[in-house]
Amino acid sequence: MPELPEVETVRRGLAPVFEGAEIASVSQNRPDLRFPFPEDFAARLTGRQVVSLGRRAKYLLADLDDAAVLVMHLGMSGAFRIETGEPGASPAAPVPDLGAFRVYPPAEARAHDHVVFHLLSPTGAGTRVPMRIVYNDPRRFGFMTLIERSAVETHPYFAKLGVEPTGNQLDAELLAARLAGKATSLKAALLDQRVIAGLGNIYVCEALYRSGLSPTRAAGSLVTARGRPTAAAERLAVAIREVIAEAIAAGGSTLRDHRQADGSLGYFQHSFAVYGREGEPCRTPGCTGTIARMVQGGRSTFYCPRCQK
């Protein structure tokens, strides 16, 4: 499943086309994805302008000019692509300058193109160019819905989400406050979206390795008896922020389905120190350990038993 860096990469790819665009129409090619679409989904979006495109945890949030928010989740295999010109034809000439984003022929079968947003997208020259953002999802675990902006923070999808692992808001003090008294494993606590929003299996494994912490140690062990963060909590907070920032800069990790909005692949997987490296030597200088794999909560955990304590 795409994790936060992959979703943020998609957001950054879509934003220059989505933001400021008018939704001329929506082609809804089936009645549901993971869940049914809201009633009159396409009609409610038609004619609306996208004010901004944001992200909360693993959700994309398109703020519309009628105070509604289009909430989109990629599920396991969801992907967006950007097209110009007539559907199925070569890109119209000239193609508007999209900076780092290019039109590309989709690799996915068009049978899995479930939603198409037909946009009039601003070019910066006072004109609007017809463009399409196509949502493709072979497994259909993604979903879309509409929520009033005033209700987002209290909506069941968002009400209990923890802090974002980006920026400086996530620090050792906050981490200690969230982990205090928890007897569950450190890895399980970090995957709890009520503790940290959007942090997934891959990046938890990598952050624990960087901070030298065992995934099986008690989460509460990072907090002193007085509720203060330990040195381990300091290392972990820094590691989480760094690994997420580096993954976003690398365009996320492409393991199976993830593509950026321009069709290119993320490459952070080439920087994995432990994830997927079972049986390989630990990369910590001076460590003679071997990367091991175990299952926690139904998910694979990769770690070095020698240098992660």
Side-chain angles (χ1 to χ4, degrees):
M1 179 175 290
E3 297 187 21
L4 185 152
E6 288 75 57
V7 179
E8 175 61 17
T9 298
V10 170
R11 187 200 68 78
R12 294 183 182 188
L14 294 178
V17 177
F18 238 149
E19 291 182 338
E22 177 188 338
I23 302 176
S25 64
V26 177
S27 299
Q28 182 184 329
N29 299 327
R30 56 177 301 111
D32 60 5
L33 292 170
R34 182 177 178 184
F35 310 119
F37 287 99
E39 188 175 356
D40 297 326
F41 178 71
R44 291 170 62 185
L45 290 171
T46 300
R48 301 271 59 89
Q49 184 180 35
V50 179
V51 177
S52 63
L53 183 64
R55 179 195 55 76
R56 179 73 168 107
K58 301 176 187 179
Y59 298 89
L60 292 169
L61 295 90
D63 276 273
L64 307 178
D65 62 355
D66 63 350
V69 178
L70 170 61
V71 178
M72 299 171 283
H73 195 286
L74 297 175
M76 295 185 69
S77 61
F80 290 92
R81 69 176 185 270
I82 301 167
E83 296 181 344
T84 61
E86 293 298 321
S90 299
V95 175
D97 182 9
L98 300 179
F101 313 114
R102 58 185 173 82
V103 178
Y104 69 98
E108 300 84 359
R110 288 186 176 270
H112 302 301
D113 287 352
H114 301 310
V115 181
V116 182
F117 299 96
H118 301 270
L119 306 177
L120 293 175
S121 187
T123 64
T127 60
R128 289 180 177 270
V129 176
M131 304 193 71
R132 293 179 302 283
I133 291 179
V134 182
Y135 179 71
N136 182 286
D137 192 348
R139 301 186 188 183
R140 299 204 310 273
F141 285 168
F143 60 88
M144 297 183 187
T145 192
L146 287 163
I147 302 173
E148 291 300 314
R149 165 47 68 184
S150 60
V152 168
E153 294 303 318
T154 57
H155 191 279
Y157 290 156
F158 305 103
K160 296 183 179 180
L161 287 178
V163 65
E164 291 278 328
T166 52
N168 294 324
Q169 188 179 3
L170 175 60
D171 58 17
E173 286 73 19
L174 188 145
L175 197 57
R178 298 294 175 90
L179 299 180
K182 289 186 177 292
T184 187
S185 72
L186 184 52
K187 185 188 178 192
L190 294 177
L191 289 176
D192 185 344
Q193 298 300 290
R194 296 168 297 182
V195 176
I196 301 176
L199 201 57
N201 192 41
I202 293 174
Y203 302 107
V204 167
C205 289
E206 293 297 313
L208 288 174
Y209 167 77
R210 292 189 183 200
S211 54
L213 299 175
S214 169
T216 61
R217 70 182 289 170
S221 67
L222 271 63
V223 187
T224 69
R226 295 185 177 183
R228 299 296 301 162
T230 63
E234 297 275 0
R235 297 198 307 273
L236 180 58
V238 171
I240 291 171
R241 294 198 307 268
E242 288 182 347
V243 76
I244 292 295
E246 291 173 20
I248 291 172
S253 302
T254 297
L255 299 182
R256 178 181 292 181
D257 298 304
H258 170 63
R259 288 179 181 269
Q260 300 184 55
D262 68 346
S264 60
L265 305 178
Y267 57 88
F268 188 72
Q269 67 274 10
H270 301 302
S271 300
F272 289 167
V274 290
Y275 192 85
R277 297 189 59 241
E278 180 184 8
E280 297 183 26
C282 177
R283 295 182 177 181
T284 300
C287 180
T288 59
T290 300
I291 303 304
R293 172 186 172 274
M294 63 178 171
V295 177
Q296 290 179 286
R299 301 180 185 183
S300 293
T301 297
F302 297 90
Y303 68 110
C304 175
R306 183 174 293 274
C307 68
Q308 289 181 242
K309 305 298 183 182

